[in-house]
């Protein structure tokens, strides 16, 4: 196994539902360490930059609007195979398709309001972590 870092974001719906602690507890319980955490409100420009990879897709504008609709909690998670472990804890993007016991299956309302974001690769984790935590 390899020590990795990954980015997790508790999205506006997760903050509004007051499940920040529950999400962080699940990450820690699975053996991931929290190396950095901060709550912030994304500006439209920040959300557009962060999700630039999706620009031009049908859901891009609604994603930017949603991610700027309230505060988010960004965290850096560290551990053995952190990227894959985080994605397993989150579950499938569509909560209806997520495995029982995952964050999205248990706490999410829809494919867009799905409580959490997580890096999808070690390479993207490095980019995403730098976006929110340039000091780490």
């Amino acid at each position: 196994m390899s020590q990795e870092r990954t980015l997790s974001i508790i999205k506006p719906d997760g903050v509004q539902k007051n499940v920040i602690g529950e999400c962080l507890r699940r990450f820690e319980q699975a053996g991931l360490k929290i190396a950095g955490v901060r709550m912030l409100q994304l500006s439209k420009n920040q959300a557009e930059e962060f999700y630039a990879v999706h620009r031009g897709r049908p859901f891009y504008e609604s994603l930017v609007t949603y991610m700027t609709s309230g505060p988010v909690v960004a965290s850096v998670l560290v551990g053995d195979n952190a990227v894959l472990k985080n994605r397993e804890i989150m579950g499938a993007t569509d909560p209806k398709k997520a495995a029982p016991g995952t964050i999205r299956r248990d706490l999410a309302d829809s494919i867009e309001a799905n409580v959490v974001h997580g890096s999808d690769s070690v390479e993207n984790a490095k980019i995403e972590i730098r976006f929110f935590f340039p000091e780490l």
Side-chain angles (χ1 to χ4, degrees):
M1 293 205 195
S2 64
Q3 283 281 306
E4 294 175 348
R5 297 186 330 156
T6 191
L7 182 81
S8 172
I9 301 173
I10 301 171
K11 296 179 178 182
D13 64 303
V15 174
Q16 183 179 24
K17 288 178 179 182
N18 201 31
V19 295
I20 298 166
E22 175 61 17
C23 293
L24 295 177
R25 181 192 68 77
R26 289 181 187 212
F27 298 138
E28 289 182 316
Q29 192 170 31
L32 296 171
K33 305 276 187 217
I34 299 170
V37 65
R38 67 175 39 120
M39 179 181 274
L40 67 149
Q41 175 80 41
L42 289 172
S43 69
K44 184 176 187 222
N45 286 343
Q46 287 173 314
E48 287 174 340
E49 182 182 345
F50 187 77
Y51 288 105
V53 67
H54 298 303
R55 190 170 284 140
R57 292 186 177 165
F59 60 86
Y60 175 74
E61 291 299 327
S62 66
L63 176 61
V64 169
T65 299
Y66 163 65
M67 290 300 292
T68 59
S69 68
V72 300
V73 174
S75 60
V76 177
L77 305 175
V78 179
D80 291 333
N81 296 307
V83 172
L84 180 60
K85 190 175 284 188
N86 181 36
R87 296 192 67 76
E88 289 172 353
I89 296 163
M90 290 189 312
T93 304
D94 183 348
K96 293 175 187 165
K97 296 177 181 174
T102 62
I103 290 172
R104 289 176 172 155
R105 177 66 171 262
D106 295 346
L107 305 173
D109 294 328
S110 69
I111 198 164
E112 187 172 83
N114 62 13
V115 182
V116 286
H117 162 91
S119 303
D120 63 1
S121 68
V122 172
E123 296 77 22
N124 283 340
K126 290 176 185 174
I127 295 165
E128 292 180 350
I129 289 168
R130 234 181 354 260
F131 185 89
F132 286 100
F133 298 91
E135 71 281 8
L136 293 181

